Amino acid sequence: MQPLVNIQNLNLKYQQKQVLVDLNWTIQHGENWQLGGVSGSGKTSLAKIIARKQTAIGDVKINFNTASELPAEVLFVESWYQFKNVEGVANFYYQQRYTSQQAKNSLTVHAELVSYGKENNLHLDQVEPILEALNFSTFASSQLIELSSGEHKKLQLVKALWLKPQLLIIDQPYTGLDVASRKSLNILLDKAAAAGVQLILICNDTALPTSINRFAEIKDGKLVAVDSFERSSHTENRLKEIPDFLKQSPLYSSQNIVKMVDVNISYGEKQVLKNINWEVKAGEKWLLQGHNGSGKSTLLSLINGDHPQSYANELYLFGNKRGSGESIWDIKKRIGLISPEFHWYFDASATVWQSIASGFYDSVGLFQQLPYSKAAQVDELIEYFALTESKNELLNHLPLGKQRMVLLARTIIKNPELLILDEPCQGLDQQQTQHFNQLVDALCANGMTVIYVGHFESQLPKSLTHKLVLSQGEAIENTKAYTIQKELA
């Protein structure tokens, strides 16, 4: 039997940079691959070429099994999904997610699945077990715009596992998923593989489906087979000296950063947050955790000033009761924020330099000239994050991992009173993740207040000392004696 995929002498140049160089790859029937390696090496581009979503120079042959009952298709699940409203347009804005109950301008999860089923001649009863396995059944009536990044990922995974194509390529399959959902996904992927679906998972994760039996990475534009991507035991890279302006403690307007008293948030009959009582003091470092749909994003939207129901609750930000006369910009100037959703809606048509500089003004582009002192700080961060060669490139011309590094630089540029890091390392490779978390530890040592959302203790900064855990909208753990060392022991 001919191989499922046979790639010969594949070349790809992007923005004058040679990404793939005479790359060869043969995937035999029965092989399931993990494609890992550093951010920006060309993994996603290679996947798109195989799925016929991107062109390149070279020979790419797909030899489907004509005897198989599975669809003779290559399905590529992107690391990030751009949905559309009911008019077929994708022009959403960041805060719209929290006011969508009034707008009703995007499909529900159920309507999306019905449409997908009709398009691909699939039966709805076959999707129910997948929804249940990923704990996604309760989201049937939710609009697409209401979903978090992890919930959007689940929806794309549900559709892919429902279709069961002969070749399924998933870019960053575990991004945004909680621990239980990752385990459930691996079981579902193993079942799909047993049914004849062949897998290519683009990631550096080590907890994989048992069906993954081949491993490779792209080095210098060529595919290189490796034994696995088990985390190496090498010593940590030494952190570069952080810029001087970040060595200063933030100038706090109040020692009380956040205070919530019996906070409740509901959308119609659906209660998202239930009687939340939480205090964050200046200089504290909090870990925020919870399963997908537990209410983390909604909780953070109250602090960011993005949620309209904040006025209906007893909420204090930076010492002031919400609704006492402060504007949303009074709040945002004290906060540095990064989240998957913010990345989705950010204007990627700005340059790297402009994107970082916009953090001074909490805008999605740079609309004014910076004074010399602020421009110098931008240059310092660009050098610190090793972005000098890319500083004049458009943000959307960079790989997603580098885009995230740019937005992380934007988040800290003004040395804010509160740093909100909602899964900040999504899309980063292991070295980038390690480097960024070392930076967070250095900022914490200088007195910055941090709220950090992350699912895995092995991928967190070491300086976190407090922990809040949500489940079904309720706080089930609220402790000031948290240490990563204890969690890992």
Side-chain angles (χ1 to χ4, degrees):
M1 185 179 292
Q2 291 183 313
L4 174 64
V5 178
N6 191 10
I7 299 174
Q8 297 292 325
N9 300 322
L10 192 66
N11 286 271
L12 176 67
K13 182 179 284 188
Y14 186 73
Q15 297 294 318
Q16 305 304 313
K17 178 186 176 183
Q18 193 73 32
V19 180
L20 305 178
V21 183
D22 292 330
L23 182 142
N24 300 304
W25 193 9
T26 301
I27 301 177
Q28 302 291 345
H29 287 273
E31 291 182 347
N32 296 299
W33 288 76
Q34 179 186 17
L35 181 58
V38 299
S39 174
S41 59
K43 303 184 297 295
T44 298
S45 294
L46 177 57
K48 287 182 176 180
I49 292 166
I50 296 172
R52 301 287 194 260
K53 292 182 176 295
Q54 186 168 334
T55 59
I57 298 173
D59 190 22
V60 180
K61 290 182 179 178
I62 311 293
N63 302 298
F64 294 111
N65 182 358
T66 55
S68 173
E69 295 181 356
L70 302 181
E73 294 183 28
V74 179
L75 179 61
F76 174 55
V77 179
E78 300 198 43
S79 61
W80 143 327
Y81 174 66
Q82 291 291 335
F83 60 95
K84 294 179 172 59
N85 63 14
V86 290
E87 282 83 30
V89 182
N91 59 344
F92 297 104
Y93 56 90
Y94 180 57
Q95 291 85 357
Q96 193 172 353
R97 177 183 174 194
Y98 306 108
T99 58
S100 60
Q101 281 295 320
Q102 289 76 35
K104 296 289 185 185
N105 58 355
S106 65
L107 293 177
T108 64
V109 169
H110 177 74
E112 174 78 2
L113 290 174
V114 168
S115 175
Y116 188 79
K118 286 182 178 178
E119 182 183 341
N120 293 281
N121 297 315
L122 302 171
H123 299 288
L124 272 177
D125 58 347
Q126 295 174 337
V127 78
E128 288 301 329
I130 305 172
L131 292 169
E132 292 176 9
L134 289 175
N135 195 26
F136 203 57
S137 300
T138 57
F139 290 88
S141 61
S142 298
Q143 292 186 56
L144 299 184
I145 196 173
E146 296 171 341
L147 302 181
S148 68
S149 62
E151 291 153 6
H152 268 292
K153 192 70 176 188
K154 283 187 179 182
L155 179 56
Q156 304 319 306
L157 292 169
V158 165
K159 292 195 289 188
L161 292 163
W162 187 17
L163 179 64
K164 289 203 286 286
Q166 288 194 30
L167 179 57
L168 175 56
I169 309 174
I170 310 178
D171 197 354
Q172 304 300 329
Y174 306 104
T175 292
L177 300 188
D178 56 49
V179 177
S181 297
R182 290 185 176 206
K183 291 179 180 177
S184 297
L185 175 60
N186 282 345
I187 294 171
L188 290 169
L189 289 172
D190 278 334
K191 287 181 178 178
V197 177
Q198 290 192 231
L199 305 169
I200 300 176
L201 304 184
I202 303 175
C203 63
N204 290 308
D205 298 84
T206 56
L208 299 168
T210 57
S211 53
I212 297 296
N213 52 21
R214 297 290 186 275
F215 307 88
E217 61 183 334
I218 298 175
K219 281 189 174 182
D220 299 323
K222 298 181 184 295
L223 192 88
V224 179
V226 296
D227 293 333
S228 71
F229 288 96
E230 290 296 329
R231 195 174 300 278
S232 62
S233 58
H234 67 273
T235 56
E236 292 184 345
N237 294 323
R238 187 174 180 179
L239 185 68
K240 288 192 289 187
E241 187 80 8
I242 65 173
D244 287 340
F245 72 92
L246 291 175
K247 294 178 181 178
Q248 305 170 17
S249 177
L251 298 174
Y252 287 111
S253 55
S254 170
Q255 289 301 301
N256 300 306
I257 304 299
V258 177
K259 183 178 180 181
M260 297 183 179
V261 181
D262 294 327
V263 166
N264 290 274
I265 299 293
S266 297
Y267 302 125
E269 297 181 357
K270 182 180 180 182
Q271 191 166 6
V272 181
L273 292 178
K274 305 173 186 176
N275 301 318
I276 298 296
N277 292 281
W278 187 30
E279 287 189 62
V280 178
K281 300 287 188 180
E284 291 181 345
K285 291 85 179 170
W286 282 85
L287 172 63
L288 175 60
Q289 289 187 319
H291 58 77
N292 296 128
S294 61
K296 300 187 300 297
S297 296
T298 301
L299 187 74
L300 295 179
S301 71
L302 292 170
I303 301 172
N304 300 337
D306 292 322
H307 204 296
Q309 293 188 43
S310 60
Y311 298 103
N313 283 276
E314 189 174 351
L315 170 64
Y316 302 85
L317 299 175
F318 306 100
N320 299 312
K321 190 176 189 300
R322 192 74 172 96
S324 59
E326 81 290 354
S327 72
I328 187 174
W329 303 112
D330 290 328
I331 294 169
K332 288 185 177 296
K333 72 182 181 182
R334 297 181 167 93
I335 297 174
L337 165 72
I338 183 67
S339 71
E341 291 82 6
F342 182 80
H343 193 169
W344 284 353
Y345 297 116
F346 193 80
D347 180 9
S349 64
T351 67
V352 167
W353 199 95
Q354 292 168 337
S355 298
I356 296 174
S358 71
F360 282 118
Y361 306 106
D362 304 299
S363 58
V364 293
L366 186 62
F367 305 106
Q368 53 189 297
Q369 188 170 354
L370 261 61
Y372 175 80
S373 60
K374 283 184 167 59
Q377 290 179 12
V378 176
D379 289 334
E380 283 186 78
L381 271 188
I382 282 178
E383 183 179 353
Y384 179 83
F385 279 98
L387 293 166
T388 303
E389 291 184 1
S390 306
K391 70 176 185 178
N392 295 319
E393 287 189 48
L394 298 183
L395 188 64
N396 57 13
H397 286 174
L398 300 183
L400 279 179
K402 276 198 173 182
Q403 288 185 33
R404 180 56 61 93
M405 296 298 281
V406 171
L407 294 184
L408 290 171
R410 178 191 183 277
T411 301
I412 63 174
I413 186 68
K414 60 186 177 183
N415 200 11
E417 295 176 53
L418 175 61
L419 195 59
I420 299 178
L421 303 170
D422 185 356
E423 299 196 61
C425 297
Q426 281 191 13
L428 305 188
D429 58 41
Q430 291 179 14
Q431 186 174 5
Q432 289 172 326
T433 298
Q434 180 190 90
H435 183 267
F436 177 70
N437 284 332
Q438 287 177 321
L439 170 61
V440 173
D441 285 331
L443 295 174
C444 286
N446 294 330
M448 189 172 286
T449 308
V450 173
I451 300 174
Y452 195 112
V453 180
H455 292 298
F456 290 87
E457 269 71 11
S458 61
Q459 299 175 9
L460 297 175
K462 296 177 180 178
S463 51
L464 303 176
T465 55
H466 298 56
K467 185 177 183 181
L468 179 70
V469 181
L470 300 181
S471 179
Q472 305 297 333
E474 297 182 89
I476 61 171
E477 184 179 344
N478 189 339
T479 177
K480 296 185 178 182
Y482 169 76
T483 62
I484 289 178
Q485 287 77 10
K486 290 181 181 178
E487 291 282 336
L488 289 174

